[in-house]
Amino acid sequence: MNKVAMGLALALAASAFAGHPQTINKEGFVGVNKTQSAQSLGHSKLVFTLLGDATFGNDMFPNNEATGTALHEETYNVEGSLVSDKNAPVADFVGGSAYIGFAIGIWHYFDLGVTMPVYYDQFNAEDVGGQGAIPNTKVGYVGNLKVDLKARFPLPEDQMFDIAVFGGVTAGTANAEKQGLWIREPEYINKKTGTAYPFGHKITTVKGGLAVTMDASKLDGGDGFPFLLHLNGGYRYTTNSDYLSLPFMSAAAEIYFMDFMSLFVEYYWDIQMDKYEYCIEDACFDNGDGKLDMKQLTGALVFHLPVGVDLHMGASYYLGGDKFVASNVLETSERPGGVTASRIRVNPEYTVYGGITWSGFLLAQDRDGDGVTDDEDKCPDDVGHRLNQGCPLGNPDADEDGVCDSWVAEKGFESEFIEVCEGVDQCPNEAGEGDDGCPLDNPDADGDGVCDAWVSQKKMTKKFANVCEGIDDCPAQAGSPAFNGCPTKQPDPDGDGLCSPWVTDEGAMNEFADICKGYDMCPGEAGSAANKGCAWDDPDADNDGLCDPWVTEKKMGFYFEKAAEDENMAKEWFIDKSCKGIDKCPTELGPATNEGCPLGNPDTDKDGLCDPWVTEKNMLDQYDGICSGVDKCPTEAGEAFAQGCPMESPDPDGDSLCSPWVTKQKMLDQFKDMCRGYDRCELEAGPEWNKGCPIDDDPDPDKDGVCSEWVATKKLQKEFESVCTGIDRCPDEPGDDGHGCPKKAVEKLDGVTFKSGKATLESNAKKILQNVAKKLVNEDSYKDLKIVIQGHTDNVGKEKTNQKLSENRAKEVMKTLTKAGVKKDRIKAIGMGSSCPIDDNSTAEGREMNRRIEMHFVTPDNDGTQCESNLVQ
């Protein structure tokens, strides 16, 4: 049965997905050594552990004549008579403990673990004074089986503190006849007699506690320092009152130097509450204050290998005093009288700590919660969209005019953003009022109160009713409403050969037969007679070269197609834009080969081979460089030599980094001549320093020498240090304040007043400063700036007194701001006295203006301590 269980466990481990590195403790949970982390394993994470301690030497046994410490053996015959009674000091002691177990994460908040301890002791007892030696003794057996549970509070994932409760039950699986000398747990001590069962007793123990973890890596949106601090407190209750029950506490710190290595230090303390005496035969002795001093410090390096295996190497040091357990019983069927050690310390002075753990997810994870599993998510740490391979979508309406940017239609996301925008924005960088997203022209360019013709054409007469009315026959020349916007009546004001409506209305067609003919529906705008004197609508709204349906409906296809070749025809028919063919998708950009409709992905499975429709539409040349050939398996990534069908390649994108499966299958050595390492973007070529992913964005788009935020997010500062530094708080405009923003002017803190002649703030001033602090801490353009608070006075009084008063007032303002959350290393206070007036000190109003507090902002070329007054004295 045991072999079947072990085989099943190994099969599960082999098929699991390796996860993000987390240190695992002796109970199989996230944590270190004996300390629990408040973080959980994660949904479906499976863990196997083999961790332990070993000690060598006799430091637990004070073998000297003053204390009489020795092994004492009493052997009895079958009738119960004593046949042997001898003492010998402990020598050559070796002890080891191994904790073997497994655990699993249940959803995201619960962990369940089972641990079986295995113990081994080996020692000799030397012959002293002819009393006889205890023969070489080797004892090994299992301890008490442990079942543990941890439940994490469902706090937000992005905040730096986690809280969890944990508990467990220890069953009595140890054998009373197979006991060593090293006492593994203090609850194995009988507080009435001082005797102990080193490997465990048949009594149930229940444990419960609380864990709190601070994770500094969650600061700054997940880019903080990789440091964790764990705090534990709890109680172990032994169901038999003769044995110790005791509280415990621990604190541990972890630092991740890099993805594959971390260091932890742990302080652990079992706190004995009950005093007891210890007895040897008929004599009982006082154990000092009756309490053991059980403090231990453990430190270790943990190596996190990419296949989910962690190696622990470290040591523990006993911090407590020389307090000893009264006696220890080692009793076997061959030695019925037992062997007792009169004085044994619970903790060795030194132990070696180490072992191995494995952890991996049984199910693919989705750590950003966007519905795209990490193995398919191109942006696994950023919430994105399933149709964009798990990456965030851009702003669908950058200029916020209600008309969607073109990429929305190109990617087929119209339904996703129907509540935000619609249509296709021809002017995506400027807000517009028209259906095409472009700004409208002036409705009355000549300012004569008569609307230009386009107002009527676009049915926007009501919109501009308070600006103009009617239709302007002379839109470029101010005129009279009586003459339709012309200075005088014009039979053909737009010069398109068609008569203005008034010619027909007044029956003057014959009078102007040599100037115009017909009826102009748009007298203020030149247009073709075929369109009743109006300008043509855009024949190709999506600019893909294909004509919109109305061109065919009006039988204008010939003219719009020939206009590009025949300049005279374009002028005659007032055609500014040409097109040809028929666009089946007039609002979406698409190639002529697809009748003007957007094409699908030419390489759905990203294997470099084109989906069949590319060949069917004769578009291989158009997608040259993206894909080639014909993919026989368009929905499954494959190799070129297998016509695009699955045939795993160790480096499909050719960037010399190995696909993840190579690491998972432990085949790096097999393909070392083809690739190395771990490719996070196996289907897109990228540099090794970016883990095989491409870098397309400009690190400094506004060219001010300060890096875009993504450089820090991806930890690429060193790669671009010759281009830019820091994080640009204003990435769309160049700046010179050291953080990528334009320099900020000096801000006078109006309302920040003090009691007369003192540096004591008025109550209303404190409220004002609290608002200033919020701005300095929370607003992006302020929160990284260093500030200098300048205090100023008028010239009344002694100069030295004014200087001191201004400095104290500035310091009081600085103190108030730091209490409100502004970091001390960002702020400095100086006093300027009366040396920097901004108004005339000869008037009461001027002196009041000069008594002020100013906030200056430090830039690379200004340390904020200079006088910045424009007053000419």
Side-chain angles (χ1 to χ4, degrees), residues 152 586 850:
R152 179 171 70 91
N850 290 333

Side-chain angles (χ1 to χ4, degrees), residues 653-720:
D653 58 4
D655 60 5
S656 298
L657 291 173
C658 295
S659 290
W661 70 265
V662 178
T663 299
K664 292 176 183 178
Q665 298 296 329
K666 301 179 181 179
M667 299 177 70
L668 284 169
D669 287 339
Q670 182 175 333
F671 295 106
K672 64 182 179 181
D673 294 331
M674 299 176 65
C675 61
R676 63 184 181 280
Y678 190 99
D679 195 342
R680 292 293 178 89
C681 301
E682 61 177 323
L683 300 178
E684 297 178 88
E688 184 174 359
W689 55 262
N690 199 37
K691 299 179 180 178
C693 293
I695 294 295
D696 297 323
D697 295 333
D698 189 340
D700 183 21
D702 57 8
K703 307 305 178 187
D704 58 5
V706 186
C707 297
S708 292
E709 187 174 2
W710 67 264
V711 176
T713 302
K714 295 186 176 183
K715 300 179 180 178
L716 298 175
Q717 294 94 330
K718 288 187 177 179
E719 303 299 330
F720 296 110

Side-chain angles (χ1 to χ4, degrees), residues 338-350:
V339 174
T340 65
S342 58
R343 288 164 64 83
I344 298 176
R345 192 168 65 195
V346 174
N347 299 88
E349 185 174 3
Y350 296 99

